[in-house]
Amino acid sequence: MIPVAFHGCRGWLHPSQGAAHGLVLCPPFGYELICTHAGLRVLAEQVAAAGTPVLRFDYPGTGDSVGEEAPHRLADWLAGIDAACDWMRATLGLKAVSLGGLRLGALLAAASAARRPGTIADMVLLAPVWSGRAHGRELLLGARAAGEATPAPGWLESAGFRLHETDIANLRSLDLGMLLRQSRPGRILLAEPPRPAALPDLGTAVTALPFDGQADFLRHAQLSIPPRPFFGGVARWLTKDGTPSPGPAAVTDRLPVAPGIEERVLRFAEDEQLAGILCRPAEPQPIGVLILNTGANHHIGNGRIAVRMARRLAGLGFASLRMDANGIGESGTVSDEERAEALFGDTPTLDALAGLDALERQGFRRSLVVGVCSGGHHAFQTALRDARVAGLAIANLPAFDRAAGGAPDLDGGPPPGESPRWRKVRMAIRRSLAEADRLLAERLGLESGLDRAGRWLRQLQARGTTLCLVYSDRDRSLRELRAHFGRGGRHLPRRAPVRILTLGGTDHAINPQSMQDELIVAVEQELLQHHTQPRPAATPQQPALATPTHTS
């Protein structure tokens, strides 16, 4: 797997030796992308292993590609697909390129192919969106059902991802059947649940496959299971005989994302199994920023928050690494099992320590670590183990000490197995132990061990580690703050700067962009107030001495 950059897009090339044709894989949009990202990587790996190179990429203004959400993005996405096909032909010397896509990505692949009829070898359509009009209604109803809204007029927001009304209007004109008849591909592979009616005439040979494993695949990222047997069938269907291509030309993964700001992929840890995106300004501050995964969601973050945060911080002079832990995104091996139970294991903390190593090799000896929910847990544990953590900015930390009980469920709900009858009693006992621990430490200098969270915070404070604790309004994790440090955290040790911020929304995963913007501003303030070093003043240049002139 080779990271690449082209036409302002971030991509990942899965090469295959001696191939005559390749596949460009178009992702879905929004939360469906978050859920299926790791599975689409598995698909690309299996197709490449069977002899067909694959290019995965992010559309302009999405994922790790350049730009933000904007009106009329649909045209940019189609241009991005065209550019991906052209790049693959030119870079690999391929005689033919096929297009594949999942959900909305399948519809966009067909729309791109229809712009250049007869140029696409095959089409692979996985659970495709047949009607852009119907899909737009689904997005709108989904956003309303979730109670999501945005004050910005003209935008639809769902799980933190936004589409402008101009693109929703343009989607209405897209019909998969009509686009496929216009595009005239050589073959079509159609994978979806059984249809109640016969397939329409698509103008070419169609292979219909049942999408075995679709239900387990299209789930939250920590629950999603890649359907490897089904993907194997897709890989075999794509295999073609032909004259091998000459091999890939030189590629680059350096992606300028703003004036003076560049992103590239870092590989690190043992066997370089971990990956992340280094976002670096031309003249960075000496402290770096490490951004960790939320749950099993890959490094762009919920609603693309990690990308927006990284680029805004780079504009202030701070470099960052948004990384994937092992088995997530572009790192390690994707699991064939649900990963919910592993999210709070020790491995992601060890991976975060490797991320600090990677930043140090780039010249950043100390770092601020950022994490939401499970990412906050691993940020906290990383700070306890490594003095290179200069500060923490963690949101909705489920528990300071998971062994003490009371840790909320993954979605911020009640702790698994908690009995409401004993809730107040358990809280009173935990609060009493924490208060006794605090008083013994403050008045007698004794570390009693009655409350490990209190001892851990005192250790970080003695080291000078800054702390910014961010909470969604009425989030259950606030109970954990109260259990250890009193209501509102009033008994937090404060030898080093401590800040507590409550966001103006209740979403535990901080999906709404209004909440994300609040969190990004808090991280910016934390860095500017506590971790900025003044730039040395430029030394004024001395005027050049005039060369003496001698006359004879």
Side-chain angles (χ1 to χ4, degrees), residues 491-516:
H491 293 313
L492 278 164
R494 296 180 183 271
R495 290 179 59 182
V498 174
R499 180 188 180 193
I500 299 175
L501 172 67
T502 302
L503 302 177
T506 59
D507 190 84
H508 177 75
I510 312 185
N511 280 321
Q513 285 202 15
S514 58
M515 296 179 67
Q516 293 182 9

Side-chain angles (χ1 to χ4, degrees), residues 83-95:
C85 293
D86 293 341
W87 181 91
M88 205 171 191
R89 286 190 183 96
T91 304
L92 301 185
L94 300 175
K95 294 179 173 55

Side-chain angles (χ1 to χ4, degrees), residues 260-310:
I261 301 173
E262 182 181 80
E263 293 188 349
R264 64 186 180 91
V265 174
L266 288 187
R267 290 284 192 185
F268 55 97
E270 186 178 357
D271 298 328
E272 297 188 334
Q273 65 174 338
L274 301 182
I277 305 292
L278 178 69
C279 182
R280 182 170 188 146
E283 297 182 5
Q285 287 279 335
I287 187 170
V289 180
L290 182 63
I291 306 174
L292 304 182
N293 299 111
T294 299
N297 301 344
H298 68 293
H299 58 266
I300 70 169
N302 295 352
R304 208 180 176 222
I305 182 176
V307 178
R308 296 194 297 121
M309 179 185 293

Side-chain angles (χ1 to χ4, degrees), residues 171-321:
L171 268 178
R172 294 192 188 109
S173 66
L174 300 185
D175 176 82
L176 183 62
M178 181 181 66
L179 293 169
L180 290 173
R181 287 190 291 273
Q182 293 173 354
S183 61
R184 303 198 307 273
R187 300 181 300 162
I188 296 174
L189 175 66
L190 178 61
E192 59 180 357
R195 296 173 57 84
L199 274 175
D201 179 16
L202 301 179
T204 191
V206 178
T207 300
L209 281 182
F211 198 154
D212 294 332
Q214 176 183 340
D216 288 336
F217 179 38
L218 298 177
R219 299 194 293 177
H220 298 302
Q222 72 269 17
L223 303 176
S224 178
I225 300 175
R228 290 181 187 268
F230 167 74
F231 286 163
V234 174
R236 290 188 293 273
W237 185 86
L238 277 166
T239 302
K240 288 179 178 290
D241 295 326
T243 305
S245 65
V251 299
T252 182
D253 76 319
R254 294 182 178 272
L255 185 63
V257 296
I261 301 173
E262 182 181 80
E263 293 188 349
R264 64 186 180 91
V265 174
L266 288 187
R267 290 284 192 185
F268 55 97
E270 186 178 357
D271 298 328
E272 297 188 334
Q273 65 174 338
L274 301 182
I277 305 292
L278 178 69
C279 182
R280 182 170 188 146
E283 297 182 5
Q285 287 279 335
I287 187 170
V289 180
L290 182 63
I291 306 174
L292 304 182
N293 299 111
T294 299
N297 301 344
H298 68 293
H299 58 266
I300 70 169
N302 295 352
R304 208 180 176 222
I305 182 176
V307 178
R308 296 194 297 121
M309 179 185 293
R311 294 174 184 176
R312 280 176 52 169
L313 296 182
L316 298 176
F318 295 94
S320 64
L321 174 65

Side-chain angles (χ1 to χ4, degrees), residues 13-17 19-24 44 47-48 51-55 88 92 94 245:
L13 176 65
H14 299 257
S16 186
Q17 296 297 323
H21 107 294
L23 174 70
V24 172
V47 171
T52 303
V54 181
L55 174 64
M88 205 171 191
L92 301 185
L94 300 175
S245 65

Side-chain angles (χ1 to χ4, degrees), residues 374-424:
S374 64
H377 167 81
H378 295 297
F380 185 57
Q381 292 299 314
T382 300
L384 293 174
R385 302 186 192 192
D386 200 312
R388 290 177 295 180
V389 178
L392 290 169
I394 50 185
N396 292 335
L397 177 65
F400 290 90
D401 183 1
R402 294 186 66 82
D409 209 345
L410 287 176
D411 62 356
E418 181 187 62
S419 172
R421 186 189 325 178
W422 298 104
R423 182 179 300 163
K424 291 184 178 180

